[in-house]
Amino acid sequence: MAISKRRYASGREVFRVRIFRHGRCVESAEFELLRDAKKFQADRLNRLGRSDWIEPKRGRVSLGEVATEWLASRRGLAPRTQDTESRLYRRWVAPYFASRQVATITSAEINRWLGELASHGVAPSTVRRTLAVMRGILSHAVSDRRIPVSPAVGVRAPRGGARREGKALTGEQLVRLLRAVPPEFEVPVAALALTGLRFSEWSALTVDDVIPTPHGYALKIHRAMTQSGGGGRRLTGSTKGHRIRAVPVPPAVLGFVLERVDAAGQGSPLFPTPTGLHWTNTNFRARCRWTSSVKAAGLEGLR
């Protein structure tokens, strides 16, 4: 460390402090008063002696650069998770913080940002998931020794409403629903209702997933197919719980399933679209006129 006096052409004099580590200047500052320069020097001497000291210039990188690194590190996750995190970052985090130096972001700013999202009508669940993305990025900055501690630590996510409880149909309600949907959707809707599969698991099924068992036939559930948040692009990954399980084929759809296995080629969708592809949630709801169908069946709000 060194303090030197410096005179500018204008006649202004300052005391310049230079902080060295391993023979290299890692930080410098100028002060009008010698006592302020000495105070700064003493503070930096104390920090250099600590094991958690971080070189100041490492924190001058933008949050956008750190976010790019963090998103790249998430490639081992399910495609849907990667897509969701990337979309939340681009939509809600980047406009506020992408150009900011990561070391300058404060907890108070994050709290204000969350308040702005809420005031703009962003759903509490989306705000919580967006905060989780921000926490992930800042934790990555800590791990990369760009900041000593994440400013998102201690920031509380907003509370949301109660989780909507799932609704099981009675036999009579299912009959009404099957009568309300277009005829070509009776089997797909019956399969969804009677197996209890998530739509993403159901849409990912292929004829190869139909397996014989001592008690009949079952569906091997080991993948999920979703669509990207930006459109209908299909994303295939593991199931939500990363578990493989077998679900019995309901007798009501067994005939269709076995006919499909006999007629379709290896790897073909078990419940195909008219063009032979896997369904996406958006396409399925539109083609079977889901909203109007459940309304006609007296089941408004059914997912």
Side-chain angles (χ1 to χ4, degrees), residues 31 56 69 74 94-95 97 115 136 138 174 180-181 183 230 237 253 261 268 274 276:
F31 300 90
E69 295 175 357
R74 308 286 283 173
F97 295 108
L138 292 171
L174 177 56
V181 299
V253 300
V261 170
S268 299

Side-chain angles (χ1 to χ4, degrees), residues 193-229:
L194 296 172
T195 59
L197 297 177
R198 294 182 176 89
F199 185 90
S200 59
E201 296 171 337
W202 173 86
S203 64
L205 287 169
T206 70
V207 294
D208 305 315
D209 295 324
V210 180
I211 54 177
T213 73
H215 307 290
Y217 288 88
L219 302 172
K220 181 182 179 181
I221 311 302
H222 59 107
R223 71 172 76 84
M225 182 173 291
T226 58
Q227 64 189 108
S228 67

Side-chain angles (χ1 to χ4, degrees), residues 5-268:
K5 196 171 185 179
R6 184 175 183 181
R7 181 190 294 270
Y8 287 95
S10 63
R12 174 172 169 260
E13 292 185 345
V14 296
F15 293 95
R16 185 184 185 191
V17 184
R18 302 179 70 195
I19 310 299
F20 290 87
R21 184 177 176 85
H22 302 311
R24 182 169 57 90
C25 181
V26 296
E27 190 175 5
S28 65
E30 294 181 346
F31 300 90
E32 300 286 343
L33 301 177
L34 178 60
R35 66 170 180 267
D36 293 335
K38 290 182 176 180
K39 183 177 179 180
F40 176 82
Q41 183 186 51
D43 175 73
R44 292 307 186 265
L45 178 63
N46 179 57
R47 293 189 185 188
L48 282 174
R50 289 161 36 185
S51 60
D52 61 349
W53 180 84
I54 294 176
E55 188 173 343
K57 73 175 184 180
R58 289 193 56 76
R60 294 175 193 146
V61 66
S62 71
L63 183 112
E65 293 178 66
V66 178
T68 298
E69 295 175 357
W70 179 73
L71 290 170
S73 74
R74 308 286 283 173
R75 288 175 183 160
L77 301 180
R80 178 62 172 173
T81 301
Q82 296 178 58
D83 183 74
T84 298
E85 291 178 340
S86 179
R87 177 168 48 84
L88 290 173
Y89 168 73
R90 293 193 310 269
R91 179 67 180 87
W92 302 115
V93 180
Y96 290 81
F97 295 108
S99 61
R100 288 285 305 280
Q101 291 184 1
V102 68
T104 66
I105 298 172
T106 67
S107 298
E109 287 178 306
I110 296 175
N111 274 312
R112 285 196 297 271
W113 164 62
L114 295 178
E116 286 188 39
L117 295 184
S119 68
H120 290 152
V122 181
S125 60
T126 301
V127 175
R128 288 194 295 271
R129 295 172 75 182
T130 303
L131 176 58
V133 169
M134 185 67 164
R135 283 173 172 163
I137 296 169
L138 292 171
S139 293
H140 184 80
V142 173
S143 300
D144 200 29
R145 294 190 61 79
R146 295 192 177 279
I147 52 176
V149 64
S150 168
V153 172
V155 174
R156 302 189 62 172
R159 294 182 178 180
R163 186 181 182 89
R164 181 166 57 176
E165 189 174 338
K167 182 179 181 180
L169 297 178
T170 65
E172 186 270 335
Q173 288 175 324
L174 177 56
V175 170
R176 293 206 317 261
L177 178 61
L178 295 178
R179 289 173 177 170
V181 299
E184 64 271 26
F185 285 92
E186 289 181 8
V187 170
V189 171
L192 280 164
L194 296 172
T195 59
L197 297 177
R198 294 182 176 89
F199 185 90
S200 59
E201 296 171 337
W202 173 86
S203 64
L205 287 169
T206 70
V207 294
D208 305 315
D209 295 324
V210 180
I211 54 177
T213 73
H215 307 290
Y217 288 88
L219 302 172
K220 181 182 179 181
I221 311 302
H222 59 107
R223 71 172 76 84
M225 182 173 291
T226 58
Q227 64 189 108
S228 67
R233 183 167 59 92
R234 294 167 178 81
L235 302 171
T236 303
S238 61
T239 61
K240 188 172 183 178
H242 304 286
R243 291 173 50 243
I244 298 176
R245 67 189 193 279
V247 175
V249 177
V253 300
L254 180 59
F256 171 89
V257 167
L258 295 181
E259 287 180 11
R260 179 66 182 162
V261 170
D262 289 338
Q266 187 177 15
S268 299

